[in-house]
Amino acid sequence: MAFITISGFPSSGKSTRTHQIKAHLEAKIKNPEYSGPLKQVIVLSDDSLGISRTAYDDSRAEKPARGTLFTTLQRQMNTDTVLIVDSLNYIKGFRYQMYCAAREMKLRMCTVYVVATPELCHQWNLTRPDEQRYSDKTLNGLIMRYEEPSSMVRWDSPLFTVLWTEDGVPGDQIWDAITEGNVKPPNASTLQSIKAPSDALHCLEQTTTSVVSAAMTESQGFGGPVTLSVTPSLQLQINLPSRNITLSELQRYKRQFITIHKKAITLGSTEKGAVDWSEESVAHKFVTFLEEHLKA
Ligand SMILES: Nc1ncnc2c1ncn2[C@@H]1O[C@H](COP(=O)(O)OP(=O)(O)OP(=O)(O)O)[C@@H](O)[C@H]1O
């Protein structure tokens, strides 16, 4: 019935805040005055899944770890459960993917952004036992790559930000969000996820073409975040590197992206929620793909 995404820098206090939130929500559920459907709070974390901090040392090891997290969270989503996903959740495309899965299950949801300065993260990381510690290089890399949640986008909202200076968490507000907030029904974008392969291929081709032409329009060589107008109703942010990007380079990435995803479509990879061939989802995936490849 409810889904909470925790996000923040590595070693920023996410699990510490998760325990506070869990305790607060459990007290609400146990209150005799509560007669709603929620019965339990489950926390899914890298530790509970046996994902080591070293999985973040390189992106090849990180992808299967994210896959495990996503498959497990889909299994754990339930009408009587508050599911808290306590992980870095630093890629906006991944938070969007979780949002789509939660929405398909008609769950209420919110995001908690745990904030600590990079210096504090380093300091706290050093105090941890070896097996829970990130290497300096990995910690810095994750902080650099971190894509901050925004209350302006629907997959991060409602968004609660908890600063390192705060003693507690906004437990009552989180409770209201997951018990009284809007249930976002699967809309056209999520329903379209079960598309016939021919539609999916068409959408893949068209959407990637629109992203390439929007990126060419916005790319001035200055770098930084720019907004791409993919369609009149779909605007996405992309972080561009500060160099000239050529059309042939973008076309090359488009072809690579299509090749990878075409395979998934023709193989009929239809694991529930994991494959979403809507225009919006394809655009998000391609923007994330471009960001990763353009800065490499
Ligand atoms: N407010 C705080 N003041 C002092 N130490 C803290 C604070 N919050 C967390 N810590 C310490 O920092 C370390 C990391 O905390 P925690 O495990 O909550 O971070 P995390 O963000 O969940 O880490 P990870 O990225 O590995 O999942 C722990 O040793 C914890 O005791």
Side-chain angles (χ1 to χ4, degrees):
M1 198 63 186
F3 184 76
I4 302 177
T5 303
I6 308 289
S7 181
F9 283 169
S11 199
S12 59
K14 298 183 296 300
S15 299
T16 309
R17 296 306 191 176
T18 298
H19 288 136
Q20 293 175 333
I21 294 169
K22 183 172 188 271
H24 197 100
L25 301 182
E26 281 175 340
K28 291 275 191 189
I29 290 173
K30 285 195 190 114
N31 186 330
E33 282 177 21
Y34 175 67
S35 57
L38 296 174
K39 301 269 182 291
Q40 58 175 349
V41 181
I42 292 183
V43 174
L44 209 57
S45 67
D46 289 356
D47 286 333
S48 73
L49 291 171
I51 296 170
S52 153
R53 304 294 184 284
T54 55
Y56 297 100
D57 289 349
D58 80 296
S59 55
R60 271 167 309 177
E62 215 183 299
K63 277 188 189 147
R66 263 201 304 279
T68 305
L69 180 64
F70 190 72
T71 316
T72 314
L73 72 87
Q74 280 186 300
R75 273 205 305 268
Q76 300 269 15
M77 283 175 173
N78 216 320
T79 46
D80 69 354
T81 303
V82 180
L83 184 60
I84 307 182
V85 181
D86 167 23
S87 187
L88 291 159
N89 298 323
Y90 72 98
I91 299 172
K92 63 176 185 279
F94 186 64
R95 294 197 299 269
Y96 175 72
Q97 210 181 338
M98 292 195 289
Y99 160 85
C100 289
R103 190 167 162 157
E104 241 181 282
M105 292 290 290
K106 299 192 174 67
L107 306 185
R108 290 192 171 89
M109 57 192 112
C110 70
T111 305
V112 178
Y113 178 23
V114 177
V115 182
T117 62
E119 293 73 27
L120 278 176
C121 296
H122 273 282
Q123 195 180 312
W124 293 344
N125 186 49
L126 289 175
T127 65
R128 310 178 85 177
D130 282 355
E131 67 279 6
Q132 284 180 13
R133 202 178 297 158
Y134 297 92
S135 73
D136 270 0
K137 184 167 171 249
T138 301
L139 196 123
N140 286 330
L142 285 167
I143 290 176
M144 288 258 298
R145 296 203 297 277
Y146 187 78
E147 295 177 339
E148 204 172 300
S150 159
S151 58
M152 302 297 284
V153 296
R154 63 196 180 294
W155 57 92
D156 289 333
S157 71
L159 177 66
F160 301 99
T161 301
V162 186
L163 301 181
W164 69 98
T165 47
E166 291 172 55
D167 288 335
V169 289
D172 285 346
Q173 290 172 46
I174 292 173
W175 174 254
D176 289 349
I178 60 166
T179 53
E180 291 165 20
N182 292 335
V183 176
K184 297 167 185 167
N187 71 351
S189 126
T190 21
L191 290 175
Q192 278 167 20
S193 65
I194 311 155
K195 275 187 167 183
S198 58
D199 286 347
L201 287 172
H202 179 70
C203 177
L204 189 61
E205 184 66 47
Q206 278 230 317
T207 308
T208 49
T209 303
S210 306
V211 171
V212 165
S213 57
M216 273 318 284
T217 312
E218 294 301 329
S219 159
Q220 309 284 331
F222 301 126
V226 295
T227 302
L228 301 183
S229 293
V230 182
T231 66
S233 59
L234 179 58
Q235 269 88 42
L236 293 180
Q237 274 238 326
I238 184 169
N239 269 308
L240 292 174
S242 50
R243 62 176 173 81
N244 278 330
I245 296 163
T246 63
L247 180 59
S248 67
E249 188 181 8
L250 289 173
Q251 298 281 28
R252 189 172 70 246
Y253 290 134
K254 179 188 143 184
R255 280 196 299 278
Q256 284 177 8
F257 181 85
I258 287 183
T259 308
I260 297 164
H261 289 81
K262 216 176 191 173
K263 210 177 276 173
I265 292 172
T266 46
L267 284 175
S269 165
T270 54
E271 190 185 327
K272 194 164 169 265
V275 180
D276 177 355
W277 301 114
S278 65
E279 179 184 81
E280 192 168 351
S281 168
V282 170
H284 272 283
K285 285 196 185 101
F286 186 43
V287 162
T288 307
F289 181 89
L290 277 181
E291 281 181 335
E292 279 173 11
H293 287 77
L294 286 170
K295 75 180 170 205

